């Protein structure tokens, strides 16, 4: 199964987020969200990260 590397990387990104290392977390989240196929948990956590940090998302550019 190909999910284990993405799960491990997602956990690392969440750990960075929880420790306040937002730059490292965002780099990992971006890599995971751009993977084909996208890892659903990583995409969800990246969205939560964007809400937490107030970063612009795709929806903000639509308005």
């Amino acid at each position: 199964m190909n999910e284990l590397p993405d799960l491990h990387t997602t956990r690392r990104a969440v750990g960075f987020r929880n420790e306040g290392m937002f730059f490292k977390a965002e780099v990992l989240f971006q890599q995971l969200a751009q993977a084909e196929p996208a890892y659903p948990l990583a995409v969800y956590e990246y969205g939560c990260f964007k809400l937490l940090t107030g970063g612009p998302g795709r929806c903000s550019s639509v308005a």
Side-chain angles (χ1 to χ4, degrees):
M1 237 178 183
N2 196 11
E3 290 182 337
L4 291 179
D6 291 337
L7 178 60
H8 175 71
T9 306
T10 302
R11 284 182 165 177
R12 284 184 55 219
V14 169
F16 286 143
R17 181 194 67 199
N18 292 344
E19 293 173 10
M21 298 182 195
F22 296 128
F23 180 77
K24 289 183 178 184
E26 184 159 22
V27 168
L28 288 178
F29 280 133
Q30 285 177 351
Q31 291 174 357
L32 288 164
Q34 293 172 359
E36 286 295 327
Y39 187 59
L41 179 61
V43 174
Y44 170 79
E45 289 292 345
Y46 188 35
C48 293
F49 173 81
K50 286 297 201 177
L51 287 172
L52 174 70
T53 59
R58 288 185 178 175
C59 294
S60 64
S61 63
V62 174

